[in-house]
Amino acid sequence: MAKKKPSIVKRFDDYFGAGILADWQRLCDDIGLSGDFSSKTKCRKALKKVNVNIHDLLSAIENGTPVHRFRNVRELAEYSIGERKVFPKKWVRDGPVKALLRCSDPQDDP
């Protein structure tokens, strides 16, 4: 029997959709990125440069508020661990979550 997806995984899947280019572009726009997002690859590269908490990203989108972007991976890691808002790595597949996911030891300097 397959394990039930944690709610954060389901929420992100429901938000993101099928993964067509328009879904990637919407995500970049929702995060507040600007630039040429004419391909999934360009979107993925842009997403790898931002530090956002996925839980907070979804809440901001649902509430129509700006998405908080952290200055660096260390700040994001400390916040995510401290607030217990960590996306479960076992549910990460190639796609937008993988582009957004940051793995860092909070001891690391930016």
Side-chain angles (χ1 to χ4, degrees):
M1 183 163 79
K3 289 187 178 184
K4 183 179 175 189
K5 289 182 181 180
S7 65
I8 187 62
V9 176
K10 182 171 179 354
R11 282 178 61 208
F12 192 87
D13 288 350
D14 290 347
Y15 158 74
F16 190 69
I20 62 173
L21 177 58
D23 297 326
W24 284 86
Q25 291 168 327
R26 183 184 70 249
L27 175 59
C28 289
D29 185 58
D30 286 346
I31 290 176
L33 300 175
S34 59
D36 172 21
F37 302 121
S38 57
S39 71
K40 290 180 187 180
T41 299
K42 289 180 179 182
C43 293
R44 186 178 286 112
K45 285 180 181 179
L47 293 170
K48 286 185 180 241
K49 295 178 183 176
V50 296
N51 299 303
V52 296
N53 178 278
I54 295 171
H55 291 260
D56 291 351
L57 165 68
L58 294 173
S59 293
I61 291 166
E62 290 164 0
N63 296 323
T65 57
V67 176
H68 178 76
R69 291 165 58 180
F70 293 86
R71 292 178 301 193
N72 54 54
V73 175
R74 179 181 179 182
E75 189 178 276
L76 171 61
E78 287 174 349
Y79 169 81
S80 299
I81 293 166
E83 295 296 317
R84 303 184 80 192
K85 292 183 175 183
V86 178
F87 194 94
K89 288 195 318 188
K90 77 177 195 173
W91 289 96
V92 175
R93 304 292 180 257
D94 191 31
V97 169
K98 187 172 182 179
L100 289 171
L101 192 67
R102 306 289 175 264
C103 297
S104 173
D105 183 330
Q107 302 284 332
D108 293 343
D109 265 313

